[in-house]
């Protein structure tokens, strides 16, 4: 990830999380000492945002499966995650995004060696795109595209203030 273009620059702790190459689910589970959960917020067919369509290589205004969840540590939202896949790709290469429930998508993506991860992009996530309960300006987010043949699953993760508080707490 090119970090020289992030302004203002994230702290060392934030940069470490933004650059995490492994499973974020696993790292969060470790930080929470096992008290980790996924809370589904919304999922279903929606018109994808233009930036999502561009990354997925589909025309603007395309429809896709959208899943939004909180990744919880000790019952508190630590990360807001939005995962999308184009309907056209899902029709050619079915993937059970609609049956995840409270299962972490990351858990599946990192266990399936057929998926390859493209480079991580990081930015300050637009507050207007966050759920009202956690809406705040200046939150760091990242996204990456996971590919399996013609199927692309774009995963965006926004790090919430409760995560930074938990990560700053001494662990025993």
């Amino acid at each position: 990830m090119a970090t020289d273009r992030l302004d203002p620059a994230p702290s060392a702790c934030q940069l470490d999380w933004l650059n995490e190459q492994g499973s974020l689910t696993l790292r969060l589970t470790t930080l929470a000492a096992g008290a980790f959960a996924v809370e589904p917020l919304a999922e279903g067919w929606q018109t994808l945002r233009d930036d999502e369509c561009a990354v997925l290589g589909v025309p603007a205004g395309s429809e896709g499966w959208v899943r939004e969840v909180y990744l919880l540590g000790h019952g508190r939202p630590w990360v807001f995650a939005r995962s999308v896949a184009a309907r056209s790709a899902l029709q050619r290469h079915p993937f059970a995004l609609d049956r995840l429930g409270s299962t972490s998508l990351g858990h599946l993506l990192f266990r399936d060696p057929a998926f390859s991860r493209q480079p991580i992009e990081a930015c300050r996530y637009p507050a207007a795109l966050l759920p009202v309960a956690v809406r705040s300006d200046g939150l760091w987010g990242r996204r990456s595209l996971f590919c399996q043949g013609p199927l692309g699953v774009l995963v965006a993760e926004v790090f919430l203030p409760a995560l930074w508080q938990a990560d700053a707490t001494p662990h025993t």
Side-chain angles (χ1 to χ4, degrees), residues 44-68 80-87 121 125-126 129 142-145 152-158:
W45 296 109
Q46 295 180 19
T47 301
L48 301 176
R49 298 190 318 236
D50 287 349
D51 66 298
E52 295 167 335
C53 289
V55 172
L56 293 170
V58 296
S62 290
E63 189 174 63
W65 187 262
V66 177
R67 171 181 155 93
E68 295 182 340
F80 166 73
R82 176 180 167 95
S83 306
V84 302
R87 181 188 283 272
E121 301 173 319
Y125 200 81
L129 300 178
R142 69 185 200 158
R143 72 179 182 185
S144 54
L145 181 64
V153 180
L154 181 61
V155 179
E157 298 149 331
V158 182

Side-chain angles (χ1 to χ4, degrees), residues 41-123:
L41 301 173
E43 59 183 330
W45 296 109
Q46 295 180 19
T47 301
L48 301 176
R49 298 190 318 236
D50 287 349
D51 66 298
E52 295 167 335
C53 289
V55 172
L56 293 170
V58 296
S62 290
E63 189 174 63
W65 187 262
V66 177
R67 171 181 155 93
E68 295 182 340
V69 301
Y70 285 136
L71 305 179
L72 306 172
H74 299 283
R76 298 184 64 202
W78 281 358
V79 174
F80 166 73
R82 176 180 167 95
S83 306
V84 302
R87 181 188 283 272
S88 57
L90 286 169
Q91 288 171 337
R92 291 189 313 271
H93 194 290
F95 184 65
L97 284 176
D98 59 338
R99 293 191 292 266
L100 288 172
S102 60
T103 300
S104 165
L105 174 60
H107 180 73
L108 296 179
L109 292 174
F110 279 95
R111 291 182 70 154
D112 187 340
F115 276 99
S116 64
R117 184 186 210 170
Q118 304 304 306
I120 295 171
E121 301 173 319
C123 71

Side-chain angles (χ1 to χ4, degrees), residues 127-141:
L129 300 178
L130 292 166
V132 173
V134 296
R135 191 166 290 165
S136 181
D137 288 322
L139 298 181
W140 284 107

